[in-house]
Structures are given as structure tokens and as C-alpha cells.
Amino acid sequence: MNYNQMYKAYEGSVIASRLLARTSFPDSLTGRGEIRLQDKLGNILKNYFVIDIRRQSVLQDAMDQLWRREKRELLRPLKVRMGMDEGEEGVDHGGVQQEFFRLAIAEAFNPNYGLFAVIDEQTQMTWFHPCSPEPLYKFELLGLLFGLAIYNGLTLPVNFPLAFYRKLQGSSMKTPYGIVDGWPALSKGLQSLLDWSDGDVADVFARTYEFTVEAPGKDLMIDMQRVGRWDAWVPEELDPDANFCACCGATHDTNSTVERSASPVPSIDEAIPPKPGQGSRSDSSDSEKLSESSHASAEDGTGTKPSTPPACPSSPSSFSLTSHANMVTNANREQYVSDYIYWLTEKSIRPQFRAFSYGIFACIHPRSFSLLGPNDLKTLVEGTQDIDVDGLEATTHYDGGYAAEHQTIQDFWSTVRDFSPKQLKSLLEFVTASDRVPVTGWESVQFSVQKNGTGDERLPTSLTCYGRLLLPEYSSRAVLKEKLELAIENSKGFGVP
């Protein structure tokens, strides 16, 4: 999807290198001037966007090295060097990138980290944490990491509902059908509320016109009829010092008059304090700010944005959470369902989603996503989790004396066919560093089996950089099964036993 843009960025650095080789600089250019010139030229002349990652701090290193990068750097092909200080031998031919993103995403999306939460135990899908204590710049940097993976054609070990991809495309969810894949039980309940015809729903469902948010240490019950769609809703007692506003993602002083910009899209720059000694985020020539229409879905639930949203209240506690909400009746149930879905997918996570999408769109133009439907976009990002053993076998290559007819290979595929879905994913991850199949199919997966000596005491190993399984020749299928299961359950790192 972004090959032409990546190729232009790569060619631009190559051309700049050639021009520099033919350029002579005056001898008077010394000292700080020379150092500044070298720093600028370093960013221009690099053919790849290279990041160095330590395995013990994958996510922190990733955020540190993505901080304030110029856009022309992000658009170059990505190369990851990971675990070099720990003695690993990884050479990035694709496998190291997959391993890096797998580890970074797993850490970032861990519910204990406070950024995302599992929204349904049945689907195990992830959604933004409405009351996350983490600053918005972390969401933006994770969005940038997310966008880099998509830009470089890598699948990600995430499980977002279709509502997330619809929001990236600028759409909004208005009916229970729009959230059925992520919140199946909730969707079913809301649809039952709409379909009920045997009397008034107030007598049967006994629902109040409220939206529930799981905040740290408490559940918030918010009266959706009293809190407008552009009103702040986070109560002051959650963070009385910060006075965080969930409406616009800013921090307000309750003792001062607050004015809001006419733009409905908050400035993420204002939420990201500069590191010491650093200036602006990037050169103005490299910064492409997104238009309001590029960022988010419709803000008022009707498909249009208000041209000038109301100003944020000076205090996030300007309304009462303890007031008695009205009951949901036959007369207001349709509006209630619409409001509930709006709060669920838009208002409660507005600042977090905006920061995250801002990071994604730093290296991918929003219009790129409009070329696909939500289901296709989800498959492009997340890949396919169903592993077809026949498809994998048909595209596997053999080296070092093995062939499809070799007895060890026959035993290998016989064993793999008996694996559970979880074991199949572990095997694929053990060899390729990813447990998912790209949208382009098995033809895009590097998977080969190479003979690695003979002996029942040896364990299978892998070179994930090249998608290669190093499989010893065993005396029986039972031994092969035992050693293979042991290897895939206890693997970590590149070239590290």
C-alpha cells in the first residue's frame, strides 16, 4: 500500500549521498557548525530507518527512539537491531522486526500497563482504557509504532474490533450491529431492548439512562441526558490536582477561565512536553498536520462535526454523577441505544483515540485506509489467525539434505497435523517470529526446514531472521514430537539457547 512512498524516501537518501560525494565544503566550516551540519546530513543520508532495541526494555527503547523523529526518517524502510548487547545474533531480514513488534505490542497492550483493556472475555478483543492514567503522548507514540508496522507491511498481534477500523476510516457506529464483534453480549442486550414489544421496556429491563465507565478503583455511572456530547465527564475526585478534561484531552485550571480552540481536534503537541535539549517536533518542511477530517469519526453521532464546538467547562466536575437518571422507556430507547454506543465508541475514549490515530497517520495518509473495507483493513493489519497446515506445507522449502520424502519430514508434518491451534501458532511464531499469516497468504511467509545433524538429545532451533527451522534427524516420530513441543514452548531470542 505504501511501496511507492517508501521507495521515494529510499531513493531520496541515495541521491543525497551521491550529491554530497561531489560537494566540497569550505575549510572554515569547523566546530559547532560542522557538528550541526553532520547531524543534519546524517538524517538525510541514511537509507534505512534503524532502531536499536534492548530485549529487557523493548517498549521503552522503542518510545525513546521514535520520539521527535522527522517524517522523512519514518518513511524509509525499517531495520531493527534487537538484543545485540545481550549476545544475540539477529540480522533483520524480516524476522527481527516481527519479533520486535510482537514484544512491544504485547507489553503495551497488557491490561496492567493501563493503556488498553480486554473488553470481552469471549472475544478477547482490546479497546482503549477510558480513564487511563497514562499521558496522551504514550498513545501517540504507540500509534506511531502501529503505523510503522502497517507501513512496512508487517502483521501485528492485536485484536481490535471492527469499530476501531471504522473510526480510522472516519465512520461512526450507531446501531448494535456495529459493535457486535467486539461486544457481543452488549450488542445482543441493546438489540433486545429495541425489539421488545410486550409492554414498556422500563418495566422489564429496568435500565436507567446511564453509561458505565470502569475507572481506577470505582465504576462511574454517567447520566447521558445531563452530560452533553461536548461536556467534560471525568470527575475531579479521580485526579483533583490534574483536572483532566476527557472532552478535549487537555488539563485545565479550575480557577481560571478556559477557552477552547475552534478546531475540534486537540493539538497533540501540547500534550507532549519536549525532552530537555530538544526543540520542535520536526522541521516544518517535514511535518504534515492532518486536517480535521483526517483524524476521527463524526463527533455528534449524525455524521457531521460541529464547526465550533462549545467551550469546555472550567471544571470537569461541573455536573453531578450522583443525580437520579431517568428510566429507559419505549419512547426514548432508540435514542438511548444511540447515545450508549456513542459514549462507548467515541466520547469515553476521545482523547486516547485521537492521540493514537495521530501517531498512525504520521507515516500513512488517512486516505490509504479508505481503499479497503473495515474487514479487509482488519485483515491487513492483524493477518489471519487460522493456520492451514496444508497451505504451510505446500510453500515450505527444505535444505541440508532434507526433502519432502524424507522420513523425518514425514514425521514432522504428521506431528504438526496433530497440534492444537495454540501449538500451531506457537510453531509458526517459533520459526517466523509471527503467529499470524499475512493478508497476502502463505506465499509471503518464509518457512524452511533444514537438517541440523543427527541425535535424539538435540533440540530443534530456529533462525527467525530467515524463517528457518533447524531440525535434527530423530530416530522416531515420538522423539521428534517430544523435542519439537519442548522447543516451541521454551524459546526466546535470536541465536540464544
Side-chain angles (χ1 to χ4, degrees):
M1 181 164 60
N2 300 285
Y3 175 78
N4 288 337
Q5 191 174 23
M6 184 182 294
Y7 182 77
K8 287 171 61 177
Y10 177 84
E11 281 293 299
S13 64
V14 172
I15 293 173
S17 299
R18 293 173 181 171
L19 291 175
L20 181 63
R22 302 175 184 177
T23 304
S24 59
F25 296 96
D27 296 335
S28 58
L29 188 61
T30 57
R32 292 185 178 180
E34 183 179 4
I35 295 175
R36 285 197 298 268
L37 178 61
Q38 289 176 350
D39 290 340
K40 284 292 184 181
L41 291 178
N43 290 334
I44 296 174
L45 302 179
K46 292 177 182 176
N47 297 338
Y48 296 92
F49 178 39
V50 182
I51 56 177
D52 292 283
I53 303 296
R54 295 169 298 172
R55 184 171 288 276
Q56 69 268 24
S57 56
V58 175
L59 185 59
Q60 185 60 53
D61 285 355
M63 287 188 173
D64 289 344
Q65 296 195 46
L66 291 178
W67 188 279
R68 297 188 182 276
R69 290 285 192 167
E70 296 182 11
K71 183 169 184 176
R72 58 187 168 196
E73 295 180 86
L74 301 175
L75 297 182
R76 295 169 190 156
L78 177 66
K79 292 290 183 182
V80 179
R81 295 186 296 204
M82 186 168 68
M84 305 300 285
D85 294 339
E86 290 91 341
E88 298 190 23
E89 303 170 0
V91 178
D92 194 2
H93 292 280
V96 181
Q97 293 180 33
Q98 288 285 9
E99 173 77 355
F100 159 66
F101 280 107
R102 181 181 67 83
L103 294 175
I105 293 298
E107 183 178 347
F109 281 67
N110 187 327
N112 296 330
Y113 199 75
L115 296 172
F116 299 89
V118 176
I119 56 178
D120 188 273
E121 292 299 326
Q122 176 185 347
T123 63
Q124 286 295 304
M125 288 193 177
T126 302
W127 195 243
F128 298 87
H129 199 303
C131 293
S132 173
E134 300 297 328
L136 291 181
Y137 78 85
K138 287 191 176 182
F139 284 94
E140 182 183 1
L141 288 175
L142 285 177
L144 178 55
L145 191 67
F146 198 90
L148 274 176
I150 302 173
Y151 181 74
N152 285 272
L154 302 172
T155 56
L156 287 167
V158 296
N159 197 15
F160 275 119
L162 289 175
F164 169 74
Y165 298 100
R166 291 191 178 104
K167 284 175 66 64
L168 285 179
Q169 294 176 318
S171 300
S172 59
M173 280 54 66
K174 302 177 183 178
T175 66
Y177 177 77
I179 62 172
V180 67
D181 65 314
W183 298 266
L186 174 63
S187 175
K188 182 179 179 180
L190 293 177
Q191 190 60 53
S192 298
L193 184 71
L194 293 174
D195 295 339
W196 186 260
S197 59
D198 189 12
D200 198 298
V201 296
D203 301 327
V204 179
F205 290 83
R207 278 181 177 264
T208 55
Y209 211 103
E210 293 175 311
F211 178 78
T212 305
V213 176
E214 294 184 6
K218 64 168 64 179
D219 288 343
L220 303 181
M221 304 295 291
I222 302 172
D223 188 340
M224 295 183 291
Q225 290 181 317
R226 293 176 59 86
V227 183
R229 293 196 170 189
W230 282 100
D231 290 341
W233 61 272
V234 175
E236 185 175 319
E237 58 265 25
L238 280 183
D239 192 353
D241 294 326
N243 296 319
F244 175 72
C245 175
C247 177
C248 68
T251 300
H252 297 320
D253 182 359
T254 57
N255 297 319
S256 63
T257 302
V258 178
E259 295 183 358
R260 182 177 180 182
S261 168
S263 169
V265 180
S267 172
I268 304 298
D269 288 340
E270 296 175 359
I272 306 180
K275 286 188 174 181
Q278 290 182 318
S280 61
R281 293 178 59 115
S282 61
D283 295 337
S284 59
S285 59
D286 296 312
S287 300
E288 294 184 9
K289 301 297 183 182
L290 297 174
S291 63
E292 295 174 3
S293 61
S294 302
H295 260 283
S297 58
E299 303 295 339
D300 61 355
T302 62
T304 59
K305 288 185 179 182
S307 57
T308 305
C312 293
S314 60
S315 172
S317 58
S318 58
F319 62 90
S320 174
L321 291 173
T322 59
S323 61
H324 296 288
N326 295 326
M327 298 296 294
V328 178
T329 65
N330 286 357
N332 64 12
R333 59 181 171 180
E334 291 187 4
Q335 186 60 43
Y336 165 78
V337 170
S338 175
D339 288 344
Y340 196 98
I341 294 174
Y342 176 81
W343 271 82
L344 177 70
T345 61
E346 170 57 36
K347 184 170 177 63
S348 66
I349 51 105
R350 181 178 291 156
Q352 291 84 8
F353 177 79
R354 282 179 170 173
F356 194 78
S357 62
Y358 188 96
I360 293 177
F361 296 143
C363 53
I364 300 178
H365 198 283
R367 272 179 277 181
S368 299
F369 290 155
S370 65
L371 301 175
L372 304 171
N375 287 284
D376 296 330
L377 182 57
K378 178 180 174 70
T379 304
L380 175 69
V381 174
E382 302 180 12
T384 302
Q385 300 190 48
D386 296 329
I387 298 177
D388 175 22
V389 178
D390 292 334
L392 176 60
E393 182 180 6
T395 56
T396 297
H397 302 278
Y398 306 100
D399 296 307
Y402 278 152
E405 300 79 15
H406 196 284
Q407 184 59 48
T408 300
I409 298 300
Q410 294 291 323
D411 292 342
F412 171 76
W413 289 115
S414 175
T415 299
V416 169
R417 282 187 169 81
D418 292 338
F419 276 180
S420 65
K422 182 179 180 180
Q423 287 177 309
L424 287 175
K425 295 175 69 174
S426 297
L427 173 64
L428 189 63
E429 183 179 313
F430 178 65
V431 179
T432 68
S434 174
D435 63 356
R436 305 188 182 197
V437 184
V439 66
T440 49
W442 289 111
E443 291 75 12
S444 302
V445 178
Q446 288 184 317
F447 195 101
S448 62
V449 183
Q450 178 179 323
K451 186 175 181 180
N452 189 29
T454 304
D456 291 349
E457 301 301 321
R458 309 183 67 174
L459 284 174
T461 55
S462 65
L463 298 174
T464 52
C465 312
Y466 306 99
R468 180 167 299 175
L469 173 65
L470 304 178
L471 183 67
E473 183 177 353
Y474 295 109
S475 60
S476 67
R477 180 182 182 275
V479 175
L480 186 149
K481 182 177 184 296
E482 176 190 353
K483 299 299 183 181
L484 184 60
E485 289 179 346
L486 185 62
I488 64 177
E489 292 172 3
N490 298 277
S491 62
K492 181 179 180 181
F494 299 90
V496 177

